[in-house]
PDB file of all heavy atoms in Angstrom:
ATOM      1  N   CYS A   1       0.861  -1.184  -0.003  1.00 87.00           N
ATOM      2  CA  CYS A   1       0.004  -0.003  -0.010  1.00 87.00           C
ATOM      3  C   CYS A   1       0.891   1.231  -0.003  1.00 87.00           C
ATOM      4  O   CYS A   1       1.699   1.413   0.912  1.00 87.00           O
ATOM      5  CB  CYS A   1      -0.921   0.016   1.210  1.00 87.00           C
ATOM      6  SG  CYS A   1      -2.088  -1.372   1.247  1.00 87.00           S
ATOM      7  N   VAL A   2       0.736   2.058  -1.031  1.00 83.00           N
ATOM      8  CA  VAL A   2       1.560   3.249  -1.189  1.00 83.00           C
ATOM      9  C   VAL A   2       0.670   4.471  -1.036  1.00 83.00           C
ATOM     10  O   VAL A   2      -0.421   4.552  -1.598  1.00 83.00           O
ATOM     11  CB  VAL A   2       2.248   3.273  -2.581  1.00 83.00           C
ATOM     12  CG1 VAL A   2       3.153   4.476  -2.713  1.00 83.00           C
ATOM     13  CG2 VAL A   2       3.017   1.979  -2.804  1.00 83.00           C
ATOM     14  N   GLU A   3       1.124   5.426  -0.247  1.00 73.00           N
ATOM     15  CA  GLU A   3       0.388   6.674  -0.066  1.00 73.00           C
ATOM     16  C   GLU A   3       0.330   7.446  -1.370  1.00 73.00           C
ATOM     17  O   GLU A   3       1.350   7.617  -2.043  1.00 73.00           O
ATOM     18  CB  GLU A   3       1.061   7.503   1.023  1.00 73.00           C
ATOM     19  CG  GLU A   3       0.306   8.766   1.395  1.00 73.00           C
ATOM     20  CD  GLU A   3       1.006   9.526   2.500  1.00 73.00           C
ATOM     21  OE1 GLU A   3       2.108   9.120   2.890  1.00 73.00           O
ATOM     22  OE2 GLU A   3       0.425  10.511   2.979  1.00 73.00           O
ATOM     23  N   ASP A   4      -0.834   7.889  -1.759  1.00 70.00           N
ATOM     24  CA  ASP A   4      -1.024   8.627  -2.997  1.00 70.00           C
ATOM     25  C   ASP A   4      -0.602  10.074  -2.761  1.00 70.00           C
ATOM     26  O   ASP A   4      -1.411  10.953  -2.468  1.00 70.00           O
ATOM     27  CB  ASP A   4      -2.485   8.556  -3.436  1.00 70.00           C
ATOM     28  CG  ASP A   4      -2.675   9.110  -4.838  1.00 70.00           C
ATOM     29  OD1 ASP A   4      -1.647   9.381  -5.487  1.00 70.00           O
ATOM     30  OD2 ASP A   4      -3.814   9.261  -5.252  1.00 70.00           O
ATOM     31  N   LEU A   5       0.693  10.325  -2.878  1.00 64.00           N
ATOM     32  CA  LEU A   5       1.257  11.603  -2.475  1.00 64.00           C
ATOM     33  C   LEU A   5       2.294  12.042  -3.509  1.00 64.00           C
ATOM     34  O   LEU A   5       3.101  11.243  -3.977  1.00 64.00           O
ATOM     35  CB  LEU A   5       1.927  11.482  -1.118  1.00 64.00           C
ATOM     36  CG  LEU A   5       2.691  12.695  -0.579  1.00 64.00           C
ATOM     37  CD1 LEU A   5       1.708  13.806  -0.275  1.00 64.00           C
ATOM     38  CD2 LEU A   5       3.485  12.323   0.662  1.00 64.00           C
ATOM     39  N   GLN A   6       2.272  13.316  -3.861  1.00 65.00           N
ATOM     40  CA  GLN A   6       3.287  13.900  -4.728  1.00 65.00           C
ATOM     41  C   GLN A   6       4.366  14.502  -3.835  1.00 65.00           C
ATOM     42  O   GLN A   6       4.153  15.527  -3.199  1.00 65.00           O
ATOM     43  CB  GLN A   6       2.656  14.989  -5.618  1.00 65.00           C
ATOM     44  CG  GLN A   6       1.664  14.460  -6.603  1.00 65.00           C
ATOM     45  CD  GLN A   6       2.266  14.346  -8.014  1.00 65.00           C
ATOM     46  OE1 GLN A   6       3.483  14.336  -8.164  1.00 65.00           O
ATOM     47  NE2 GLN A   6       1.420  14.235  -8.989  1.00 65.00           N
ATOM     48  N   VAL A   7       5.543  13.840  -3.819  1.00 58.00           N
ATOM     49  CA  VAL A   7       6.606  14.295  -2.913  1.00 58.00           C
ATOM     50  C   VAL A   7       7.101  15.670  -3.320  1.00 58.00           C
ATOM     51  O   VAL A   7       7.461  16.480  -2.444  1.00 58.00           O
ATOM     52  CB  VAL A   7       7.755  13.264  -2.925  1.00 58.00           C
ATOM     53  CG1 VAL A   7       8.849  13.694  -1.970  1.00 58.00           C
ATOM     54  CG2 VAL A   7       7.234  11.902  -2.508  1.00 58.00           C
ATOM     55  N   SER A   8       7.126  15.976  -4.613  1.00 62.00           N
ATOM     56  CA  SER A   8       7.630  17.287  -5.049  1.00 62.00           C
ATOM     57  C   SER A   8       6.755  18.424  -4.537  1.00 62.00           C
ATOM     58  O   SER A   8       7.258  19.551  -4.380  1.00 62.00           O
ATOM     59  CB  SER A   8       7.692  17.336  -6.578  1.00 62.00           C
ATOM     60  OG  SER A   8       6.411  17.120  -7.132  1.00 62.00           O
ATOM     61  N   ASN A   9       5.470  18.154  -4.239  1.00 64.00           N
ATOM     62  CA  ASN A   9       4.600  19.202  -3.723  1.00 64.00           C
ATOM     63  C   ASN A   9       4.987  19.618  -2.313  1.00 64.00           C
ATOM     64  O   ASN A   9       4.656  20.715  -1.857  1.00 64.00           O
ATOM     65  CB  ASN A   9       3.152  18.733  -3.721  1.00 64.00           C
ATOM     66  CG  ASN A   9       2.608  18.547  -5.122  1.00 64.00           C
ATOM     67  OD1 ASN A   9       3.230  18.961  -6.082  1.00 64.00           O
ATOM     68  ND2 ASN A   9       1.449  17.907  -5.213  1.00 64.00           N
ATOM     69  N   MET A  10       5.730  18.737  -1.602  1.00 62.00           N
ATOM     70  CA  MET A  10       6.081  19.063  -0.224  1.00 62.00           C
ATOM     71  C   MET A  10       7.087  20.187  -0.129  1.00 62.00           C
ATOM     72  O   MET A  10       7.232  20.809   0.921  1.00 62.00           O
ATOM     73  CB  MET A  10       6.640  17.787   0.461  1.00 62.00           C
ATOM     74  CG  MET A  10       5.637  16.652   0.489  1.00 62.00           C
ATOM     75  SD  MET A  10       6.322  15.113   1.116  1.00 62.00           S
ATOM     76  CE  MET A  10       6.644  15.553   2.799  1.00 62.00           C
ATOM     77  N   SER A  11       7.824  20.451  -1.207  1.00 57.00           N
ATOM     78  CA  SER A  11       8.780  21.558  -1.197  1.00 57.00           C
ATOM     79  C   SER A  11       8.437  22.601  -2.254  1.00 57.00           C
ATOM     80  O   SER A  11       9.277  23.410  -2.615  1.00 57.00           O
ATOM     81  CB  SER A  11      10.196  21.023  -1.434  1.00 57.00           C
ATOM     82  OG  SER A  11      10.256  20.316  -2.660  1.00 57.00           O
ATOM     83  N   ARG A  12       7.196  22.582  -2.756  1.00 59.00           N
ATOM     84  CA  ARG A  12       6.819  23.507  -3.812  1.00 59.00           C
ATOM     85  C   ARG A  12       6.794  24.938  -3.320  1.00 59.00           C
ATOM     86  O   ARG A  12       7.027  25.871  -4.088  1.00 59.00           O
ATOM     87  CB  ARG A  12       5.461  23.119  -4.388  1.00 59.00           C
ATOM     88  CG  ARG A  12       4.953  24.069  -5.465  1.00 59.00           C
ATOM     89  CD  ARG A  12       3.683  23.556  -6.101  1.00 59.00           C
ATOM     90  NE  ARG A  12       3.917  22.339  -6.856  1.00 59.00           N
ATOM     91  CZ  ARG A  12       2.969  21.674  -7.500  1.00 59.00           C
ATOM     92  NH1 ARG A  12       1.719  22.129  -7.464  1.00 59.00           N
ATOM     93  NH2 ARG A  12       3.256  20.578  -8.171  1.00 59.00           N
ATOM     94  N   SER A  13       6.519  25.181  -2.049  1.00 57.00           N
ATOM     95  CA  SER A  13       6.416  26.546  -1.550  1.00 57.00           C
ATOM     96  C   SER A  13       7.745  27.280  -1.610  1.00 57.00           C
ATOM     97  O   SER A  13       7.773  28.495  -1.492  1.00 57.00           O
ATOM     98  CB  SER A  13       5.920  26.532  -0.101  1.00 57.00           C
ATOM     99  OG  SER A  13       6.837  25.845   0.728  1.00 57.00           O
ATOM    100  N   ALA A  14       8.859  26.566  -1.809  1.00 58.00           N
ATOM    101  CA  ALA A  14      10.142  27.220  -1.933  1.00 58.00           C
ATOM    102  C   ALA A  14      10.312  27.917  -3.267  1.00 58.00           C
ATOM    103  O   ALA A  14      11.180  28.762  -3.419  1.00 58.00           O
ATOM    104  CB  ALA A  14      11.278  26.223  -1.747  1.00 58.00           C
ATOM    105  N   LYS A  15       9.475  27.549  -4.252  1.00 57.00           N
ATOM    106  CA  LYS A  15       9.573  28.189  -5.555  1.00 57.00           C
ATOM    107  C   LYS A  15       8.878  29.551  -5.528  1.00 57.00           C
ATOM    108  O   LYS A  15       7.929  29.762  -4.791  1.00 57.00           O
ATOM    109  CB  LYS A  15       8.935  27.293  -6.628  1.00 57.00           C
ATOM    110  CG  LYS A  15       9.590  25.927  -6.741  1.00 57.00           C
ATOM    111  CD  LYS A  15       8.890  25.102  -7.783  1.00 57.00           C
ATOM    112  CE  LYS A  15       9.503  23.727  -7.870  1.00 57.00           C
ATOM    113  NZ  LYS A  15       8.812  22.863  -8.880  1.00 57.00           N
ATOM    114  N   GLY A  16       9.347  30.440  -6.379  1.00 62.00           N
ATOM    115  CA  GLY A  16       8.729  31.744  -6.451  1.00 62.00           C
ATOM    116  C   GLY A  16       9.310  32.556  -7.590  1.00 62.00           C
ATOM    117  O   GLY A  16      10.151  32.091  -8.348  1.00 62.00           O
ATOM    118  N   SER A  17       8.889  33.802  -7.674  1.00 62.00           N
ATOM    119  CA  SER A  17       9.368  34.733  -8.697  1.00 62.00           C
ATOM    120  C   SER A  17       9.721  36.049  -8.024  1.00 62.00           C
ATOM    121  O   SER A  17       9.568  36.217  -6.818  1.00 62.00           O
ATOM    122  CB  SER A  17       8.313  34.910  -9.795  1.00 62.00           C
ATOM    123  OG  SER A  17       7.122  35.451  -9.248  1.00 62.00           O
ATOM    124  N   ALA A  18      10.164  37.007  -8.869  1.00 62.00           N
ATOM    125  CA  ALA A  18      10.498  38.315  -8.310  1.00 62.00           C
ATOM    126  C   ALA A  18       9.259  39.018  -7.784  1.00 62.00           C
ATOM    127  O   ALA A  18       9.318  39.756  -6.779  1.00 62.00           O
ATOM    128  CB  ALA A  18      11.194  39.174  -9.372  1.00 62.00           C
ATOM    129  N   GLU A  19       8.120  38.841  -8.478  1.00 66.00           N
ATOM    130  CA  GLU A  19       6.877  39.480  -8.044  1.00 66.00           C
ATOM    131  C   GLU A  19       6.271  38.761  -6.832  1.00 66.00           C
ATOM    132  O   GLU A  19       5.735  39.400  -5.919  1.00 66.00           O
ATOM    133  CB  GLU A  19       5.866  39.499  -9.192  1.00 66.00           C
ATOM    134  CG  GLU A  19       6.293  40.389 -10.363  1.00 66.00           C
ATOM    135  CD  GLU A  19       7.333  39.722 -11.245  1.00 66.00           C
ATOM    136  OE1 GLU A  19       7.540  38.487 -11.038  1.00 66.00           O
ATOM    137  OE2 GLU A  19       7.945  40.396 -12.075  1.00 66.00           O
ATOM    138  N   GLN A  20       6.357  37.418  -6.824  1.00 68.00           N
ATOM    139  CA  GLN A  20       5.789  36.627  -5.732  1.00 68.00           C
ATOM    140  C   GLN A  20       6.865  35.680  -5.206  1.00 68.00           C
ATOM    141  O   GLN A  20       6.993  34.546  -5.659  1.00 68.00           O
ATOM    142  CB  GLN A  20       4.588  35.827  -6.219  1.00 68.00           C
ATOM    143  CG  GLN A  20       3.425  36.700  -6.680  1.00 68.00           C
ATOM    144  CD  GLN A  20       2.253  35.858  -7.153  1.00 68.00           C
ATOM    145  OE1 GLN A  20       2.353  34.653  -7.303  1.00 68.00           O
ATOM    146  NE2 GLN A  20       1.108  36.507  -7.390  1.00 68.00           N
ATOM    147  N   PRO A  21       7.672  36.145  -4.264  1.00 68.00           N
ATOM    148  CA  PRO A  21       8.759  35.304  -3.740  1.00 68.00           C
ATOM    149  C   PRO A  21       8.203  34.061  -3.027  1.00 68.00           C
ATOM    150  O   PRO A  21       7.107  34.074  -2.481  1.00 68.00           O
ATOM    151  CB  PRO A  21       9.483  36.228  -2.753  1.00 68.00           C
ATOM    152  CG  PRO A  21       9.056  37.606  -3.138  1.00 68.00           C
ATOM    153  CD  PRO A  21       7.668  37.483  -3.671  1.00 68.00           C
ATOM    154  N   GLY A  22       8.978  32.991  -3.057  1.00 64.00           N
ATOM    155  CA  GLY A  22       8.581  31.767  -2.396  1.00 64.00           C
ATOM    156  C   GLY A  22       8.674  31.862  -0.883  1.00 64.00           C
ATOM    157  O   GLY A  22       9.312  32.765  -0.327  1.00 64.00           O
ATOM    158  N   ARG A  23       8.022  30.930  -0.199  1.00 64.00           N
ATOM    159  CA  ARG A  23       8.020  30.900   1.265  1.00 64.00           C
ATOM    160  C   ARG A  23       8.926  29.793   1.765  1.00 64.00           C
ATOM    161  O   ARG A  23       9.045  28.735   1.128  1.00 64.00           O
ATOM    162  CB  ARG A  23       6.593  30.676   1.780  1.00 64.00           C
ATOM    163  CG  ARG A  23       5.641  31.798   1.415  1.00 64.00           C
ATOM    164  CD  ARG A  23       4.218  31.507   1.854  1.00 64.00           C
ATOM    165  NE  ARG A  23       3.608  30.462   1.025  1.00 64.00           N
ATOM    166  CZ  ARG A  23       3.389  29.240   1.440  1.00 64.00           C
ATOM    167  NH1 ARG A  23       3.743  28.865   2.655  1.00 64.00           N
ATOM    168  NH2 ARG A  23       2.834  28.347   0.627  1.00 64.00           N
ATOM    169  N   ASN A  24       9.552  30.011   2.900  1.00 61.00           N
ATOM    170  CA  ASN A  24      10.420  29.020   3.552  1.00 61.00           C
ATOM    171  C   ASN A  24      11.527  28.550   2.596  1.00 61.00           C
ATOM    172  O   ASN A  24      11.853  27.374   2.544  1.00 61.00           O
ATOM    173  CB  ASN A  24       9.590  27.809   4.009  1.00 61.00           C
ATOM    174  CG  ASN A  24       8.496  28.188   4.977  1.00 61.00           C
ATOM    175  OD1 ASN A  24       8.667  29.109   5.782  1.00 61.00           O
ATOM    176  ND2 ASN A  24       7.374  27.507   4.905  1.00 61.00           N
ATOM    177  N   VAL A  25      12.103  29.500   1.860  1.00 59.00           N
ATOM    178  CA  VAL A  25      13.134  29.139   0.894  1.00 59.00           C
ATOM    179  C   VAL A  25      14.365  28.607   1.617  1.00 59.00           C
ATOM    180  O   VAL A  25      14.938  27.592   1.209  1.00 59.00           O
ATOM    181  CB  VAL A  25      13.489  30.372   0.036  1.00 59.00           C
ATOM    182  CG1 VAL A  25      14.623  30.028  -0.913  1.00 59.00           C
ATOM    183  CG2 VAL A  25      12.266  30.831  -0.739  1.00 59.00           C
ATOM    184  N   ARG A  26      14.801  29.264   2.690  1.00 57.00           N
ATOM    185  CA  ARG A  26      16.009  28.820   3.391  1.00 57.00           C
ATOM    186  C   ARG A  26      15.799  27.450   4.050  1.00 57.00           C
ATOM    187  O   ARG A  26      16.666  26.590   4.038  1.00 57.00           O
ATOM    188  CB  ARG A  26      16.413  29.855   4.435  1.00 57.00           C
ATOM    189  CG  ARG A  26      17.676  29.463   5.232  1.00 57.00           C
ATOM    190  CD  ARG A  26      18.042  30.552   6.220  1.00 57.00           C
ATOM    191  NE  ARG A  26      18.395  31.801   5.541  1.00 57.00           N
ATOM    192  CZ  ARG A  26      19.635  32.030   5.095  1.00 57.00           C
ATOM    193  NH1 ARG A  26      20.584  31.126   5.221  1.00 57.00           N
ATOM    194  NH2 ARG A  26      19.890  33.167   4.496  1.00 57.00           N
ATOM    195  N   GLN A  27      14.609  27.248   4.639  1.00 55.00           N
ATOM    196  CA  GLN A  27      14.350  25.988   5.329  1.00 55.00           C
ATOM    197  C   GLN A  27      14.298  24.819   4.355  1.00 55.00           C
ATOM    198  O   GLN A  27      14.688  23.704   4.694  1.00 55.00           O
ATOM    199  CB  GLN A  27      13.041  26.071   6.129  1.00 55.00           C
ATOM    200  CG  GLN A  27      13.093  27.034   7.315  1.00 55.00           C
ATOM    201  CD  GLN A  27      12.768  28.465   6.897  1.00 55.00           C
ATOM    202  OE1 GLN A  27      12.908  28.819   5.746  1.00 55.00           O
ATOM    203  NE2 GLN A  27      12.347  29.274   7.866  1.00 55.00           N
ATOM    204  N   LYS A  28      13.780  25.075   3.145  1.00 56.00           N
ATOM    205  CA  LYS A  28      13.581  23.986   2.202  1.00 56.00           C
ATOM    206  C   LYS A  28      14.630  23.960   1.097  1.00 56.00           C
ATOM    207  O   LYS A  28      14.490  23.228   0.141  1.00 56.00           O
ATOM    208  CB  LYS A  28      12.203  24.094   1.566  1.00 56.00           C
ATOM    209  CG  LYS A  28      11.071  23.892   2.576  1.00 56.00           C
ATOM    210  CD  LYS A  28       9.734  23.845   1.897  1.00 56.00           C
ATOM    211  CE  LYS A  28       8.613  23.542   2.885  1.00 56.00           C
ATOM    212  NZ  LYS A  28       7.308  23.441   2.236  1.00 56.00           N
ATOM    213  N   ALA A  29      15.681  24.767   1.238  1.00 55.00           N
ATOM    214  CA  ALA A  29      16.703  24.811   0.197  1.00 55.00           C
ATOM    215  C   ALA A  29      17.399  23.455   0.111  1.00 55.00           C
ATOM    216  O   ALA A  29      17.849  22.890   1.102  1.00 55.00           O
ATOM    217  CB  ALA A  29      17.724  25.917   0.500  1.00 55.00           C
ATOM    218  N   GLY A  30      17.519  22.928  -1.069  1.00 54.00           N
ATOM    219  CA  GLY A  30      18.261  21.678  -1.294  1.00 54.00           C
ATOM    220  C   GLY A  30      17.449  20.422  -1.051  1.00 54.00           C
ATOM    221  O   GLY A  30      17.990  19.331  -1.227  1.00 54.00           O
TER     222      GLY A  30
END
């Protein structure tokens, strides 16, 4: 039984742009 989960979504908030910077970039870097 595998959890139906997208692992990449767990660090998606680190992404952002100049107009809308990402959140928790330092915590989730790397």
Side-chain angles (χ1 to χ4, degrees):
C1 297
V2 183
E3 185 178 6
D4 190 9
L5 175 67
Q6 294 259 18
V7 181
S8 60
N9 293 349
M10 300 174 66
S11 57
R12 178 174 294 180
S13 61
K15 300 179 182 179
S17 61
E19 294 77 12
Q20 297 180 350
R23 296 176 288 107
N24 301 326
V25 176
R26 180 178 296 275
Q27 292 86 337
K28 294 187 176 182

